[in-house]
Amino acid sequence: MATGVTDFIQIDEVRHEIDSTYPDPGTDASRDLSVPNNGYSHKLIGQTVEFLCKVWLYRNCEEVIRPSIHSSRELEDDDGDKWIRGARYRKIPEVTVTVFDGKKWEDRDSGPSNQNEWDVMNEDRPDWDQRSPVQWAENEDLSKIVNQFIETGMNTDGVVKAALLNAGWQPPDAIQTWINREAIENELLHEIEELFRLLRTQEWGTGEVVFEKPRFGHFRHILPGEGDFIVDDLLVDIKTTERKSFTNAFWRQLLLYYVLNDVQRELYDSETVSRSGRELFNGKYPEITRVGIYFSRHGELQTVDISELIDDTDRYEEFRAWIVDRAIEENRHAQINYSAIRGVLTEPYDYERQQSLFDF
């Protein structure tokens, strides 16, 4: 299993390289906490807010690009209209809301019949093949509410409820329990409504083009990672923590995303790197000039101006080459030929610790 950005920046050597070359220049959020956490699942709230960010950006941006969808070769029909994977291309795609729809063993005659049997089955699988027993299905009514909001801006309450269910919340009538889940749901909805209200006041939520879930290093040839959004020239990561600190960990993650975005652009323009050596995304990521954290509970975006930070091109390119070298060392695969990739990204930059192909 490939080492991704999150684990890569935990390596002492990598942390030291980042901190010594580009120490954290981020600024903590200045506003007071506006929406406290009620104590419920951080993951549930995080996924809900991320979905709401997606919906809000769909409403306010002129064009939406989803690298996971725009990954196959674009075909054109006789009228010149673009088609991707058999579906007619739209600038603003429709949003699908999927909700919890029971367990997979509930409608199967064979195989696991309960959670214990499912867990036993998973024990025999490698880590990369672990599977969830949860079934999901599209809720057409909720999808309609969300897409109507994208068109009209109406029914924010319905969108909040759809976002919560899409994140995995199971409504009170879906579970038999002595816990007052209706009361919990009301508290959750109120908390998320406030977070959505703050989001709708943000200037960064409007732009020309938004890249949803930009994916880097998909082929494991360098370093896998997935950002939240790129809005025009801004790469933004969404945080739902109560803390207002622009931490070193946040900065390392953003800087690595910037580097991987830059790598994608370099490989896309290279004539020596084959299609199999590039990202699946059949396009070029935008040039990023700012990276930032949106502190959703404070209603504040804090950014770092990359153009001011990276004022020495030679120093940055050596840093990027070192990151690529170290990432290939971490994720190298015997069946991948890295010579063309390294010919673009590392070999032109002669530095003391540079590795050769024979080192891998």
Side-chain angles (χ1 to χ4, degrees):
M1 186 174 183
T3 299
V5 167
T6 302
D7 293 327
F8 188 68
I9 59 178
Q10 300 299 319
I11 299 173
D12 289 342
E13 185 183 7
V14 175
R15 288 208 313 269
H16 178 267
E17 185 71 21
I18 294 173
D19 294 347
S20 60
T21 309
Y22 294 109
D24 182 5
T27 303
D28 297 346
S30 60
R31 297 179 184 176
D32 293 334
L33 181 68
S34 296
V35 186
N37 188 301
N38 283 325
Y40 303 119
S41 169
H42 291 280
K43 183 176 181 181
L44 179 70
I45 298 294
Q47 291 179 343
T48 302
V49 172
E50 197 172 297
F51 181 85
L52 291 172
C53 286
K54 164 184 171 176
V55 171
W56 186 239
L57 289 167
Y58 272 37
R59 169 160 175 75
N60 290 288
C61 293
E62 296 297 321
E63 183 177 359
V64 173
I65 296 177
R66 296 183 292 180
S68 61
I69 301 299
H70 292 72
S71 59
S72 58
R73 185 169 59 92
E74 294 184 356
L75 304 177
E76 294 189 359
D77 62 13
D78 294 338
D79 299 325
D81 293 328
K82 291 182 179 179
W83 293 72
I84 298 178
R85 287 187 177 174
R88 186 172 293 275
Y89 174 86
R90 306 185 185 202
K91 286 188 175 181
I92 306 298
E94 289 191 354
V95 175
T96 299
V97 178
T98 56
V99 300
F100 175 78
D101 191 37
K103 301 288 187 177
K104 293 182 179 178
W105 58 73
E106 292 175 347
D107 56 359
R108 294 180 62 177
D109 296 329
S110 60
S113 60
N114 55 53
Q115 183 72 52
N116 288 336
E117 292 182 8
W118 186 275
D119 292 341
V120 170
M121 180 192 74
N122 262 353
E123 288 178 0
D124 296 330
R125 297 181 183 277
D127 291 339
W128 55 266
D129 196 29
Q130 299 295 298
R131 302 179 183 180
S132 169
V134 176
Q135 289 192 138
W136 297 84
E138 179 182 0
N139 186 301
E140 294 182 357
D141 291 336
L142 293 177
S143 296
K144 183 177 180 180
I145 288 172
V146 169
N147 287 295
Q148 285 178 340
F149 172 83
I150 292 172
E151 291 293 328
T152 66
M154 298 177 63
N155 194 0
T156 57
D157 290 346
V159 174
V160 167
K161 183 67 175 288
L164 182 61
L165 292 172
N166 186 81
W169 173 256
Q170 300 174 47
D173 57 2
I175 295 180
Q176 293 183 352
T177 177
W178 58 269
I179 298 175
N180 188 348
R181 289 180 59 83
E182 186 173 356
I184 295 175
E185 182 178 283
N186 289 336
E187 289 186 9
L188 279 169
L189 289 172
H190 177 71
E191 180 178 341
I192 297 166
E193 285 166 0
E194 288 300 299
L195 290 168
F196 195 29
R197 179 186 61 79
L198 283 178
L199 173 64
R200 300 199 304 276
T201 66
Q202 301 300 307
E203 293 183 1
W204 67 267
T206 300
E208 293 293 325
V209 181
V210 56
F211 282 73
E212 177 195 346
K213 291 288 185 187
R215 304 164 69 188
F216 310 109
H218 183 76
F219 276 125
R220 301 185 298 174
H221 57 254
I222 299 178
L223 187 65
E226 183 175 280
D228 285 343
F229 302 99
I230 300 175
V231 185
D232 295 335
D233 66 339
L234 167 69
L235 189 152
V236 59
D237 206 51
I238 314 300
K239 302 297 183 184
T240 54
T241 176
E242 287 189 344
R243 297 178 58 192
K244 58 171 64 179
S245 301
F246 198 117
T247 66
N248 288 333
F250 290 171
W251 165 241
R252 294 179 192 123
Q253 183 181 37
L254 287 174
L255 180 59
L256 263 289
Y257 285 158
Y258 171 80
V259 170
L260 291 177
N261 185 89
D262 195 29
V263 163
Q264 193 271 348
R265 290 169 53 82
E266 289 280 350
L267 295 180
Y268 182 86
D269 288 335
S270 172
E271 296 181 356
T272 59
V273 178
S274 66
R275 185 74 186 93
S276 61
R278 304 178 187 177
E279 303 293 336
L280 280 178
F281 171 51
N282 188 26
K284 185 178 181 180
Y285 283 133
E287 182 177 3
I288 292 172
T289 64
R290 297 177 299 150
V291 297
I293 298 293
Y294 173 58
F295 295 91
S296 59
R297 294 188 181 278
H298 300 79
E300 183 174 349
L301 173 72
Q302 283 291 352
T303 62
V304 173
D305 191 328
I306 293 292
S307 60
E308 293 182 2
L309 178 74
I310 300 177
D311 55 359
D312 185 332
T313 301
D314 291 339
R315 183 187 185 210
Y316 165 72
E317 289 179 346
E318 287 188 7
F319 170 77
R320 185 185 67 190
W322 186 91
I323 292 293
V324 170
D325 258 342
R326 185 64 181 81
I328 291 177
E329 178 186 357
E330 189 72 21
N331 289 324
R332 63 185 181 273
H333 193 287
Q335 295 180 343
I336 296 179
N337 185 340
Y338 295 94
S339 57
I341 294 171
R342 296 191 71 249
V344 173
L345 297 173
T346 69
E347 290 176 1
Y349 311 106
D350 186 20
Y351 58 98
E352 184 178 351
R353 293 167 297 157
Q354 186 171 13
Q355 300 184 60
S356 71
L357 285 175
F358 300 102
D359 297 321
F360 295 119

